[in-house]
Amino acid sequence: PRLLLTVIERLGASPAEAVMVGDNANDVHAARAAGIPVILRAGGYIRVPATELGADAVIETFAELPVALARVTGRALHPEN
């Protein structure tokens, strides 16, 4: 997870403030190793159905991302965002 943690650090954030959004098993593994939640977009380069990869949430479209982020972080959605 070193690359993922380095990116988070360089953005001035901490793993507690991060969520991985990806589309395959490697994304789930990296997020888990970094100790951050992971949301998968179904489709993409997945050989195994996204729902079977152990992500915290699975979305079909990026329009679903704000609700999924709120769910996995426990933070309420802000109507203006």
Side-chain angles (χ1 to χ4, degrees):
R2 188 177 323 153
L3 178 61
L4 183 55
L5 292 170
T6 298
V7 170
I8 293 167
E9 179 184 328
R10 289 192 180 172
L11 289 171
S14 70
E17 300 171 291
V19 175
M20 174 73 156
V21 178
D23 66 358
N24 63 58
N26 290 336
D27 295 330
V28 174
H29 297 308
R32 293 292 179 236
I36 64 174
V38 59
I39 298 170
L40 286 183
R41 185 187 176 285
Y45 300 103
I46 298 176
R47 294 178 186 189
V48 175
T51 55
E52 296 179 19
L53 294 176
D56 296 294
V58 176
I59 59 174
E60 296 288 328
T61 69
F62 285 109
E64 298 170 66
L65 187 56
V67 171
L69 283 168
R71 190 169 67 236
V72 302
T73 64
R75 297 182 200 132
L77 289 175
H78 298 283
E80 65 276 4
N81 294 337

